[in-house]
């Protein structure tokens, strides 16, 4: 029993999960407003867009790459769909379908460049991010779209679950199935863990990369649509500059930058950690100017502690072997 | 990364200027010449003028010094995402010291003392940030992207918390001179940038520290086993990177006559682009300051040229992104040609 507990404690998602629970207990003890249904609903809704995009980024990270361009893809798809909806009308099906298709296409462009140029993903996606976003700013001249159709902006909730939260739940569920219940998901883990081994086992590397980056683009575009629904407008520069926040959340959830490691549950906990922290601090009356300091400190402490633990474990392993 | 976007260390006796034997440098030099010829043909009277050269010389230092700050960690196989926030916090510290110590009626010696105090405080800020980053990277073995993601958020957070998002401005003329003044027609900021570039180039190429940095970038374990204190070299890498941010902070505050937590944030990813375009291997180990210099010249020539043609600055940024992809593409195609014509030359 004790050894089982100790083994469980070594798991990253258990550690992050306990921190989230402890923090939630702390905040609900200090502020009666924390543990109310409306506050928790707000909390989930505020972080639903981040969760959708994080699901896509997680798949790319597991495949051993990194995607910096997803916020730019989201901004471009958001704008593209908004123009079509305003001009020709449509429904939720066309909105999500068009955005997803466009986002996936832009993501696949990343994958093709990475595969055929043999360049590393961070450089390619920084280049395409710059390219996509500047083209968007050039075409729109920074102008926003406010006259979105009323069906698009009207509040939709089911059993008082906000619409963005439902979409986020579906996105995370689909990602979970893709990663841990499908053969392709295992291949993505394999590609990230050891690309050469994956190649020799006969995995279609180009196909897997197209899937990973296309999925990231797809989810980013869906997140962009949900974000437009929430704020009831499309501002070309609203999303850009937040890509590193999403990356921080996914990494807090235990995904490794060197590929092959990461789980959907960890990602959810990573986002919850940031969400509970910021929400709790707001309720305690801490100025929003202090968020950066707290978030930065949490990221630093978390990544340092994780690395320190794995270093100690390695050392213990060496000692046992000797 | 294709292998020859990266310079290979020359073994034969050193030529006078080793950079010319570097294929990346040749490629960039050709691209710069092509860009200059194209823009000169499109805007005959205006592009080839002193004004253009001066505009380029005024715009380059800021991005240039920040790119140097990005280059040093890149060569060690790392990355420093905190450069912009470090520069901003350092500028804010210096701005705070200056505006608190100097009043309109202050005698000259107070102004001099205040400037010295400000420089010292700004430098100390950067030293502390760089040292902490380096210690976490080196002694805890955390991936530099993660560490600097944390320090970036933390340092920016401190800057935002201290200023509540406001701008601090109004500096003595001696500071402003660094941003807008010229010596013999050369902008002071450009002199500062060239000085930094020469120092970094010398350090990377000709000092034990620089050699260790490149070795760590190639193979950290092998470097440690050959007796180099890799941990302390890595600490040094992030300290040097942060100190370059201090110089960048000076140029930035002088140019804007103000400091804020949010300046120049769009430069962060552009510095990585500029460094990699300049032939710095993002996996570490290889690269030349001269290559970085040429890539900065190329980017500035493109932006100034498009500006003269009346294009939107957004389109220029799009062209920058495309330039990167095209440069990698050219290197890949050239690789295949070399492999076909001269198979022995390729590993």
């Amino acid at each position: 029993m004790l050894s089982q507990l100790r083994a469980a404690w070594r798991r990253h998602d258990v550690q992050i999960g306990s921190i989230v629970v402890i923090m939630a207990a702390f905040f609900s003890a200090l502020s009666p407003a924390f543990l109310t249904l409306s506050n928790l609903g707000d909390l989930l809704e505020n972080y639903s867009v981040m969760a959708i995009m994080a699901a896509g980024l997680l798949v790319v990270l597991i495949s051993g790459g990194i995607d910096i361009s997803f916020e730019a893809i989201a901004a471009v798809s958001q704008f593209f769909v908004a123009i079509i909806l305003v001009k020709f009308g449509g429904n939720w099906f066309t909105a999500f379908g068009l955005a997803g298709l466009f986002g996936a296409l832009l993501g696949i462009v990343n994958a093709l460049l990475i595969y055929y140029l043999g360049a590393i993903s961070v450089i390619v996606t920084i280049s395409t991010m710059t390219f996509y976003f500047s083209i968007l700013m050039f075409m729109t001249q920074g102008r926003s779209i406010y006259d979105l159709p009323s069906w698009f902006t009207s509040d939709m909730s089911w059993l008082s679950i906000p619409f963005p939260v439902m979409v986020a739940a579906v996105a995370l569920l689909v990602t979970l199935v893709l990663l841990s219940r499908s053969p392709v998901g295992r291949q993505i883990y394999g590609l990230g863990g050891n690309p050469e081994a994956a190649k020799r086992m006969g995995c279609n590397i180009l196909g897997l990369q197209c899937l990973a980056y296309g999925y990231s683009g797809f989810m980013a575009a869906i997140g962009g649509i949900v974000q437009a629904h929430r704020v009831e407008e499309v501002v070309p520069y609203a999303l850009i500059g937040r890509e590193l926040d999403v990356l921080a959340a996914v990494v807090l959830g235990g995904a490794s930058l060197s590929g092959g490691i990461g789980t959907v549950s960890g990602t959810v906990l990573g986002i919850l950690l940031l969400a509970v922290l910021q929400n709790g601090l707001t309720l305690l009356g801490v100025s929003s100017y202090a968020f950066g300091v707290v978030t930065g400190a949490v990221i630093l402490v978390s990544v340092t502690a994780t690395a320190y633990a794995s270093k100690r474990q390695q050392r213990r392993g060496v000692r046992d072997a000797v | 990364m294709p292998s020859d976007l990266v310079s290979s260390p020359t073994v034969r006796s050193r030529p006078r200027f080793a950079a010319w034997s570097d294929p990346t440098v040749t490629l960039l030099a050709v691209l710069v010449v092509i860009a200059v010829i194209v823009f000169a043909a499109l805007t005959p009277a205006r592009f080839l003028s002193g004004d253009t050269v001066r505009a380029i010389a005024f715009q380059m230092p800021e991005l240039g010094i920040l790119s140097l700050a990005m280059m040093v960690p890149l060569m060690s196989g790392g990355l420093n995402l905190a450069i912009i926030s470090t520069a901003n916090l350092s500028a804010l510290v210096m701005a705070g010291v200056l505006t608190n110590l100097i009043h309109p009626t202050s005698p000259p010696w107070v102004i001099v003392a205040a400037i010295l105090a400000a420089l010292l405080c700004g430098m100390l800020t950067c030293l502390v940030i760089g040292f902490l980053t380096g210690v976490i990277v080196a002694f805890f073995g955390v991936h530099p992207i993660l560490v600097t993601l944390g320090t970036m958020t933390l340092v920016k957070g401190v800057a935002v918390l201290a200023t509540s998002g406001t701008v601090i401005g109004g500096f003595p003329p001696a500071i402003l001179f660094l941003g807008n003044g010229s010596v013999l027609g050369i902008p002071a900021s450009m002199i500062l940038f060239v000085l930094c570039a020469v120092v970094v180039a010398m350090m990377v190429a000709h000092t034990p520290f620089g050699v260790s940095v490149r070795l760590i970038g190639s193979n950290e374990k092998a470097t440690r086993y050959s007796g180099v204190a890799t941990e302390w070299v890595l600490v040094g890498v992030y300290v040097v990177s942060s100190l370059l941010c201090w110089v960048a902070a000076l140029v930035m505050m002088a140019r804007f006559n103000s400091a804020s937590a949010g300046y120049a944030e769009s430069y962060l990813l552009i510095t990585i682009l500029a460094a990699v375009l300049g032939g710095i291997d993002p996996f570490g180990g290889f690269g030349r300051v001269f290559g970085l210099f040429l890539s900065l010249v190329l980017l500035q020539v493109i932006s100034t040229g498009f500006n003269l043609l009346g294009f939107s600055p957004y389109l220029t940024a799009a062209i920058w992104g495309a330039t990167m992809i095209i440069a990698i593409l050219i290197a890949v195609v050239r690789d295949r040609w070399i492999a076909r014509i001269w198979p022995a030359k390729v590993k």
Side-chain angles (χ1 to χ4, degrees), chain B residues 107-126:
Chain B
W109 69 269
V110 172
I111 296 182
V112 173
I115 290 179
L116 287 179
L119 291 180
L120 198 68
C121 291
M123 191 171 85
L124 278 179
T125 311
C126 289

Side-chain angles (χ1 to χ4, degrees), chain A residues 135-154:
Chain A
I135 292 286
L136 176 69
M137 288 303 277
F138 175 66
M139 306 281 266
T140 62
Q141 299 295 329
R143 279 192 300 267
S144 310
I145 298 180
Y146 298 107
D147 49 349
L148 292 168
S150 57
W151 60 264
F152 186 79
T153 52
S154 65

Side-chain angles (χ1 to χ4, degrees), chain B residues 75 86 102 157 248 258:
Chain B
M75 294 196 64
T86 307
I102 296 177
S258 63

Side-chain angles (χ1 to χ4, degrees), chain A residues 16-34:
Chain A
I16 293 282
S18 346
I19 295 174
V20 172
V21 170
I22 292 169
M23 267 183 359
F26 175 75
F27 286 130
S28 44
L30 285 184
S31 156
F34 180 77

Side-chain angles (χ1 to χ4, degrees), chain A residues 271-284:
Chain A
I271 294 169
L272 275 181
L273 180 68
L274 292 180
V276 168
L277 194 64
Q278 297 206 342
N279 181 275
L281 289 178
T282 312
L283 289 180
L284 293 187

Side-chain angles (χ1 to χ4, degrees), chain B residues 260-299:
Chain B
S260 127
Y263 281 157
E265 280 185 326
S266 58
Y267 275 170
L268 176 59
L269 299 173
I270 298 286
T271 57
I272 303 180
L273 213 68
V276 174
L277 182 62
I280 317 293
D281 186 345
F283 291 118
F286 303 101
R288 282 177 202 285
V289 172
F290 192 64
L292 174 65
F293 185 82
L294 280 182
S295 91
L296 289 165
V297 171
L298 179 64
L299 293 178

